[in-house]
């Protein structure tokens, strides 16, 4: 399936997981803490899955210690995991930085030929979510990673991912009690997005989106001060990457400064678009991180009367 970059289109969904499924763990970005990795693998085994740690997951680049080994090695792990017919899913161990460096080393023709698989990650993994969408036509899951704090410490985060993987029809409506209408309204569209600074970094590169007609944008970030977030959103607006957007769903803004200032930036940049915006839905780098399927239709509800704000997925995330 070829996705037209100026329009956000429905993507091909992978099958759900079943007990006994063999799942790959890869590290496309930053180095992985060994203790967290082992704890996360234990959770996967408790779910009845068979995790397989690929060769370069425990690597650290000899000179650039913010990378989990060399670009070629990280790309080789993801490529091998995807193209292995015995692997049913690919889980990222963590984010950090580095996906930009290896995304073009992947053989996207081979990935397309292999077909869709469950792919889970967030943060820097946004680069790969966009690549799977635009270069392969596959739906993915913006969700917690195996060696991250939210996955290991927050029961609600783990359960939402587990339900999405095994019983996706039970988690069609998303939204914590914190969700509120920044700009009231109702919109339909196809979910896409992730960490907003990575979306901005991708804008203008080969294979990037040139518009967002028919899309519902889901965004979050961490460590971006209000003026930097303003610049990120302004770049996306000026580039035309948000042209035709139907609505926006915001998650967490960990370590981005006082939320009142972040909220003011979001209102200033999105308000003039005349589309509904939900804030604090409950995904991303926050203490509870819901799993959001990307590439599927959904309805954003942001009632003006202060009623519950929700994101309702039109089809289960997985087949």
């Amino acid at each position: 399936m070829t996705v037209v970059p100026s329009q956000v289109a429905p993507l091909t969904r992978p099958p759900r997981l079943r007990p006994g499924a063999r799942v790959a763990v890869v590290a496309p970005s930053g180095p992985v803490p060994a203790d967290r990795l082992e704890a996360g693998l234990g959770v996967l085994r408790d779910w009845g899955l068979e995790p397989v740690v690929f060769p370069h997951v425990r690597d650290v680049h000899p000179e650039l210690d913010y990378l989990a080994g060399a670009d070629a090695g990280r790309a080789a792990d993801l490529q091998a995991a995807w193209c292995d017919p015995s692997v049913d899913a690919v889980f990222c161990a963590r984010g950090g930085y580095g996906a930009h460096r290896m995304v073009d080393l992947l053989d996207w023709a081979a990935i397309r030929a292999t077909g869709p698989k469950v792919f889970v990650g967030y943060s820097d993994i946004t680069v790969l979510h966009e690549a799977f969408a635009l270069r392969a036509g596959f739906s993915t899951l913006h969700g917690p990673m195996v060696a991250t704090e939210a996955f290991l410490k927050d029961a609600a985060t783990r359960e939402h991912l587990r339900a999405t993987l095994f019983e996706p029809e039970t988690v069609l409506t998303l939204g914590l009690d914190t969700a509120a209408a920044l700009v009231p309204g109702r919109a339909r569209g196809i979910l896409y997005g992730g960490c907003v600074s990575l979306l901005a970094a991708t804008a203008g590169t080969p294979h990037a989106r040139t518009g967002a007609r028919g899309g519902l944008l889901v965004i979050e970030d961490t460590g971006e001060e209000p003026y930097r977030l303003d610049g990120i959103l302004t770049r996306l607006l000026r580039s035309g990457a948000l042209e035709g957007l139907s609505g926006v769903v915001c998650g967490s803004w960990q370590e981005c400064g006082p939320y009142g200032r972040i909220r003011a930036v979001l209102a200033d940049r999105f308000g003039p678009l005349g589309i509904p915006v939900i804030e604090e839905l409950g995904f991303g780098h926050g203490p509870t991180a819901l799993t959001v399927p990307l590439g599927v239709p959904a309805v954003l509800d942001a009632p003006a009367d202060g009623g519950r704000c929700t994101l309702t997925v039109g089809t289960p995330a997985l087949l």
Side-chain angles (χ1 to χ4, degrees), residues 4-19:
V4 179
S6 62
Q7 180 171 347
V8 185
L11 303 175
T12 304
R13 293 174 291 155
R16 69 187 63 197
L17 298 186
R18 303 187 185 281

Side-chain angles (χ1 to χ4, degrees), residues 1 3 9-13 132-134 137-140 190 294-296:
M1 176 180 178
V3 178
L11 303 175
T12 304
R13 293 174 291 155
F132 276 112
L134 296 168
F138 298 156
S139 173
T140 56
I190 306 300
L294 304 177
V296 299

